[in-house]
Amino acid sequence: EAGVAQSPRYKIIEKRQSVAFWCNPISGHATLYWYQQILGQGPKLLIQFQNNGVVDDSQLPKDRFSAERLKGVDSTLKIQPAKLEDSAVYLCASSIGQETQYFGPGTRLLVL
Amino acid sequence: KNQVEQSPQSLIILEGKNCTLQCNYTVSPFSNLRWYKQDTGRGPVSLTIMTFSENTKSNGRYTATLDADTKQSSLHITASQLSDSASYICVAALYGNKLVFGAGTILRVKS
């Protein structure tokens, strides 16, 4: 069974630029999550999708972050414009309902 | 406020030795307690999941305990190996599958 795929693995941008991350969940997993993990901290949920609908985006900075999950499969997370404090690892995870969440390898973002 | 606290922040042990990592949680409504292992540059991987009715659960050399009364959990690693070097994250799950993550304990196993 293929795991959660994410790309790119690394991204370096300058502040005020835009960036997008892509995630392809495990086949059949209806629930998809985006997390932000700052160095030395645990992951923080940004947004949770159930199929193509948003379940929880209470911690998503909506003035600069957006996410979509068209057709209820893969998803993109966008930051526009990026700030220095957005430097982090962005993790995508998927699950079947309330079951274990399976994480992808993450995208490491550095904002200069 | 829902939160998870872990200790120690970091730990260095010799290969072959045992170690125990601690976790205190304050979440409501509590559903289950999870331990994840996160290797450097990778996403977290689930080790154990325990509901409030389970006191202990093992996964190979990893044994997790849960005391739902005191809201404490521990992860015991037996006969450590170099490959155990990683960050170990304690996660409290609320009903609705919302997860509250601890900051993790960074374990380094030396030869």
Side-chain angles (χ1 to χ4, degrees):
Chain A
E1 175 183 84
V4 176
Q6 291 188 246
S7 66
R9 291 297 311 277
Y10 305 92
K11 191 73 177 180
I12 301 174
I13 62 173
E14 294 186 347
K15 59 183 179 184
R16 291 187 288 275
Q17 285 188 323
S18 303
V19 65
F21 313 129
W22 174 81
C23 171
N24 190 26
I26 294 173
S27 177
H29 283 198
T31 310
L32 185 148
Y33 315 79
W34 282 103
Y35 290 90
Q36 179 192 60
Q37 186 175 23
I38 293 173
L39 187 64
Q41 300 181 17
K44 181 186 82 170
L45 178 69
L46 292 175
I47 189 167
Q48 176 183 342
F49 291 95
Q50 180 73 21
N51 295 309
N52 60 349
V54 176
V55 174
D56 183 356
D57 64 355
S58 57
Q59 297 194 88
L60 185 73
K62 298 180 184 64
D63 58 333
R64 297 184 301 106
F65 287 65
S66 64
E68 60 182 10
R69 191 183 184 196
L70 299 176
K71 302 180 182 179
V73 182
D74 56 348
S75 175
T76 56
L77 176 69
K78 296 179 181 179
I79 307 175
Q80 180 179 10
K83 293 185 176 181
L84 296 177
E85 58 262 35
D86 297 332
S87 294
V89 176
Y90 291 85
L91 295 165
C92 179
S94 69
S95 69
I96 299 175
Q98 309 287 312
E99 303 285 321
T100 299
Q101 294 185 22
Y102 294 87
F103 287 82
T107 295
R108 190 174 300 270
L109 173 68
L110 178 61
V111 182
L112 302 176
Chain B
K1 179 182 176 182
N2 292 321
Q3 61 182 20
V4 174
E5 296 182 346
Q6 294 186 242
S7 62
Q9 195 170 23
S10 61
L11 182 63
I12 301 175
I13 62 173
L14 290 176
E15 186 178 15
K17 298 295 185 182
N18 304 335
C19 68
T20 300
L21 314 180
Q22 302 293 341
C23 172
N24 296 324
Y25 63 93
T26 307
V27 303
S28 179
F30 174 76
S31 175
N32 57 74
L33 193 290
R34 311 177 184 194
W35 283 93
Y36 281 82
K37 178 186 179 187
Q38 185 172 23
D39 291 311
T40 301
R42 294 180 177 270
V45 174
S46 179
L47 293 176
T48 63
I49 299 177
M50 292 180 292
T51 64
F52 67 90
S53 62
E54 297 177 289
N55 299 120
T56 184
K57 182 164 282 189
S58 293
N59 178 358
R61 294 179 296 100
Y62 301 101
T63 300
T65 65
L66 176 64
D67 186 335
D69 292 329
T70 62
K71 300 184 178 181
Q72 296 179 325
S73 177
S74 66
L75 180 69
H76 185 76
I77 304 174
T78 303
S80 62
Q81 301 176 357
L82 296 179
S83 60
D84 292 332
S85 295
S87 176
Y88 291 86
I89 304 175
C90 176
V91 183
L94 285 66
Y95 281 103
N97 209 24
K98 180 174 182 177
L99 304 185
V100 181
F101 289 79
T105 292
I106 298 173
L107 174 65
R108 180 182 169 198
V109 181
K110 294 175 59 177
S111 59

